[in-house]
Amino acid sequence: MKNTDGRHFISGGLQKFDQGFTNPYSTSIDVNNDGFPDLIGGGTGDSIRVYYVKDSIIYMEKNFYLGAEPVLPAYLDVNNDGAIDIVVSTSYGIELLINDGYGNFTRSTPISTQAGGTIQCGDFDGDGWADIIESGVGELTVYHNNHDGTFTKMPTGAGYNVGYGVVYGLTVGDFDGSGTLDAVYTWGNNDTLVALSALNDGTGIFHIVQTWKTLGGERNNLSAATLTSSGALDFIMGYREASSILIFHNDTSVTPLLVKDGTQTPNGYALQQLYPSPVSSTASINYTLPSSQIVNISLYNSLGQFIETIVNGLVDGGTNSATYDCSTLPSGVFFIRLIAPHVMLTKEFVHYV
């Protein structure tokens, strides 16, 4: 179809081409900087195929070997050279194809050697370089761009294993208006589908703040878009089992979406000072929730660097407690952070050896 005046489309003719894959898919992006979107194809096989397009005509195609069956690819500029590179999740890991600027790709060192999930790309830690986020079994994983063509797996803080293990979709966008990229992702089985919203704290570490459980069945994919006059980013879910599309509107009347220390805490939430204080061995963490909900409690050092997750999952409402063995920590100042829907609370404590 060709755009004639910005509003209407007319047929540009049908150009049929055989991808040669059992379950083909295609996406489009300009890989050779000629101003025309090219096509990226794949499916059941061990490679992806690039179809080079100019003025609606496919004039060349090339295969690029991956060594395993690819999932739908994502795109990023790994080295900030202006050329679009391709990152592909496969059954053997996450592969990176580096673009020479002319649409020719070279397979680089794998980013991960574990079976990959759904992936997206973006600058998640605010350093000006594109990172990779993966929705794998049980949690989100962020791979930080090291600025040299390699990536480092970052701690998540968001991992919540819902017990189903089949990942279906992932989309990213600034859902809370904070200026950082957040994520919505889904997985489930034939009985329950779970959608989770995870907010980026600005460092590339994500924390679950809201979940939805829909009817049984599977979904096809997720996408984010502004669908109302509020300007807030909503998300759309293709719902395969019901042959329908679900729209989740971003409720901007819930203010704030994530409450941090120093502002008024919503009723029913509390995180008590650790006991004993200072801590020399085992610390008791007491906290209160207004209802049953997903909670993440994690430990950070004085620089704000993630150390370990202490609680991560569904917790009953009311007063709860957890313990943490501090014997492996050096002397110093540390922080306990509680993340729950609409609240993030932090307590400082001192550990001595």
Side-chain angles (χ1 to χ4, degrees):
M1 308 293 279
K2 292 184 178 180
N3 191 345
T4 58
D5 62 2
R7 295 176 299 167
H8 304 288
F9 291 83
I10 60 174
S11 175
L14 176 62
Q15 183 176 1
K16 183 177 180 181
F17 58 97
D18 182 11
Q19 288 188 312
F21 297 115
T22 304
N23 299 303
Y25 61 75
S26 293
T27 61
S28 62
I29 195 166
D30 183 8
V31 299
N32 54 1
N33 293 320
D34 65 354
F36 295 94
D38 306 296
L39 301 177
I40 312 295
T44 302
D46 57 4
S47 63
I48 63 171
R49 189 172 299 171
V50 177
Y51 298 88
Y52 302 86
V53 178
K54 189 170 185 178
D55 196 22
S56 301
I57 302 298
I58 297 172
Y59 65 89
M60 183 173 61
E61 62 183 73
K62 291 182 180 180
N63 279 350
F64 296 96
Y65 177 73
L66 295 171
E69 179 181 337
V71 183
L72 193 68
Y75 309 102
L76 74 167
D77 184 357
V78 171
N79 45 15
N80 281 352
D81 64 352
I84 296 298
D85 308 302
I86 302 175
V87 59
V88 187
S89 174
T90 77
S91 55
Y92 289 160
I94 299 177
E95 296 282 350
L96 179 62
L97 298 175
I98 300 295
N99 190 344
D100 66 357
Y102 299 96
N104 300 304
F105 294 87
T106 301
R107 186 183 180 192
S108 184
T109 302
I111 297 169
S112 170
T113 56
Q114 296 180 341
T118 306
I119 53 177
Q120 294 282 350
C121 300
D123 182 10
F124 299 107
D125 52 13
D127 65 352
W129 293 72
D131 310 300
I132 298 168
I133 188 170
E134 175 193 16
S135 176
V137 177
E139 63 181 8
L140 290 177
T141 301
V142 175
Y143 296 91
H144 168 75
N145 190 330
N146 297 323
H147 310 172
D148 60 1
T150 65
F151 290 78
T152 298
K153 183 178 179 179
M154 300 292 288
T156 62
Y160 172 57
N161 193 335
V162 294
Y164 304 115
V166 181
V167 178
Y168 292 120
L170 167 68
T171 188
V172 298
D174 184 8
F175 291 100
D176 64 344
S178 66
T180 59
L181 289 174
D182 311 303
V184 174
Y185 57 115
T186 61
W187 64 81
N189 61 11
N190 290 330
D191 299 320
T192 307
L193 178 67
V194 180
L196 303 100
S197 172
L199 293 188
N200 185 349
D201 66 8
T203 67
I205 295 178
F206 290 75
H207 307 274
I208 292 173
V209 294
Q210 192 171 0
T211 64
W212 305 267
K213 287 189 176 181
T214 65
L215 298 175
E218 301 178 358
R219 48 115 260 134
N220 290 327
N221 47 41
L222 287 171
S223 60
T226 300
L227 302 176
T228 67
S229 59
S230 70
L233 197 60
D234 311 301
F235 76 91
I236 305 131
M237 177 189 298
Y239 202 40
R240 180 189 306 167
E241 197 75 11
S243 299
S244 61
I245 295 175
L246 302 181
I247 297 175
F248 292 77
H249 287 295
N250 193 338
D251 186 0
T252 56
S253 66
V254 180
T255 307
L257 180 61
L258 188 64
V259 177
K260 300 183 179 181
D261 292 318
T263 57
Q264 184 178 359
T265 302
N267 292 334
Y269 292 96
L271 175 62
Q272 306 299 326
Q273 186 63 51
L274 270 66
Y275 178 84
S277 183
V279 178
S280 62
S281 56
T282 301
S284 295
I285 306 165
N286 298 307
Y287 59 101
T288 304
L289 304 173
S291 61
S292 176
Q293 53 197 261
I294 292 174
V295 172
N296 178 284
I297 298 178
S298 296
L299 175 68
Y300 297 81
N301 64 18
S302 59
L303 299 177
Q305 296 169 329
F306 172 85
I307 296 177
E308 188 173 352
T309 295
I310 301 170
V311 176
N312 200 27
L314 188 64
V315 177
D316 292 335
T319 300
N320 295 274
S321 63
T323 59
Y324 181 73
D325 182 4
C326 301
S327 60
T328 60
L329 298 178
S331 295
V333 176
F334 297 87
F335 296 91
I336 292 291
R337 176 173 292 174
L338 180 150
I339 301 285
H342 311 306
V343 66
M344 179 167 68
L345 303 174
T346 305
K347 290 296 181 182
E348 176 184 314
F349 72 94
V350 175
H351 176 255
Y352 69 93
V353 178

